[in-house]
Amino acid sequence: MNSEIIPNPVGKSRFSLLARAGGLRPYSPTLQGAGFYRPLTTEFRIKSQYEQDFYGWTQWQIEVLANREVSEIDWQNLQEELQGLGRQEYRELVSRMTVLLGHLLNWEFQPENRSRSWFLTIREQRRAIHRHLYRNPSLKSRIADALEDGFEAGVDLALRETNLPLRTFPEQCPYRFEEAMTESFICDTSQDWE
C-alpha cells in the first residue's frame, strides 16, 4: 500500500468526493485538519464509496468494468444492484398489469360509468406493457406471475374507483394475458373513444 501523503485539493476540513474517489482517507487526526490524506485499502474504499456516494460508486464501477480491473470490482454490491434492477423491471410489469386489469374490471362491471379516462388508461397500459416486454423479452417467462400479482392489486384499484362490493369481482383473474392485451378485448382501443 502506498503511504505517500497527499494534500487535499478541495479543502482542509472536508473529506472530499475527489479524495474518496481516489481512495484516500485522512492520514492522521493531526494532519486531517491540514487536509492531508493517505490511500485506503481497496476493500474499505469499495464499502465506503457504495455507502457514502452511490452515484460516485456507480461511475467508479463503470470505469473499473470498462478497464477490466477485476480486483477493483465490488462484487457483492454489484450483484445486489443487478438483482435489484431485475426486480424493478418485474415490478414495473406488475404495476402496469395492475392498472390495466383494474380498468378492464371497471369497464366490464360498471358499464354505465365508462369514460374517456378509463378508455385511454386501458389503451396506454396495453401499449406500455408491449413496449416493456419488447425491451425485456425474458420477462415473458414471468407473465403468469405478473398476471396473478397484478390482478390482486387490480381488484383493489377497481374497488376504490367503482364503490362496488368485493363479491362483484371474480376471485381469480378471468382474463388470459393474450386477451387482456388484445386491443378489441372488452374495451376496443383500436378505435377512437365514442
Side-chain angles (χ1 to χ4, degrees):
M1 177 172 85
N2 185 353
S3 61
E4 173 186 359
I5 298 174
I6 304 166
N8 175 5
V10 177
K12 292 182 181 180
S13 63
R14 201 170 278 199
F15 187 42
S16 71
L17 173 62
L18 182 59
R20 281 196 311 263
L24 307 174
R25 67 174 172 171
Y27 176 66
S28 72
T30 56
L31 290 177
Q32 180 179 356
F36 289 93
Y37 298 93
R38 81 169 175 201
L40 290 169
T41 63
T42 299
E43 180 182 331
F44 183 81
R45 183 174 70 232
I46 290 172
K47 182 179 179 186
S48 176
Q49 183 80 9
Y50 179 80
E51 292 172 355
Q52 294 179 10
D53 180 10
F54 180 75
Y55 178 76
W57 174 84
T58 63
Q59 300 311 295
W60 177 38
Q61 290 300 295
I62 289 168
E63 184 177 330
V64 163
L65 289 168
N67 295 330
R68 294 176 171 32
E69 297 173 12
V70 176
S71 65
E72 295 291 311
I73 295 174
D74 181 356
W75 294 103
Q76 180 182 352
N77 288 320
L78 191 58
Q79 177 186 358
E80 289 173 14
E81 290 302 323
L82 289 173
Q83 288 170 335
L85 287 173
R87 286 188 300 270
Q88 180 179 337
E89 295 302 319
Y90 175 74
R91 282 192 305 266
E92 181 176 342
L93 177 61
V94 170
S95 176
R96 293 195 175 280
M97 289 300 300
T98 294
V99 176
L100 173 61
L101 295 172
H103 282 79
L104 286 173
L105 291 169
N106 289 348
W107 196 268
E108 182 176 3
F109 290 94
Q110 204 167 37
E112 66 279 4
N113 287 343
R114 289 178 181 170
S115 67
R116 179 175 172 80
S117 174
W118 286 359
F119 171 84
L120 292 174
T121 298
I122 292 168
R123 177 183 166 151
E124 173 189 356
Q125 295 307 314
R126 283 175 172 160
R127 289 178 174 199
I129 291 167
H130 277 298
R131 280 192 308 273
H132 194 61
L133 291 173
Y134 176 77
R135 292 182 183 134
N136 299 281
S138 62
L139 275 176
K140 290 177 183 174
S141 68
R142 303 282 316 272
I143 283 177
D145 296 330
L147 191 67
E148 182 180 331
D149 293 342
F151 180 72
E152 289 176 2
V155 168
D156 292 339
L157 186 145
L159 288 169
R160 280 192 308 275
E161 292 191 2
T162 62
N163 291 320
L164 293 172
L166 178 60
R167 67 180 174 276
T168 304
F169 301 106
E171 290 184 21
Q172 294 189 359
C173 186
Y175 320 125
R176 291 189 338 256
F177 176 77
E178 295 76 16
E179 290 175 329
M181 295 299 294
T182 300
E183 287 184 329
S184 59
F185 181 72
I186 296 181
C187 174
D188 189 350
T189 55
S190 66
Q191 301 177 26
D192 287 333
W193 165 251
E194 302 171 356

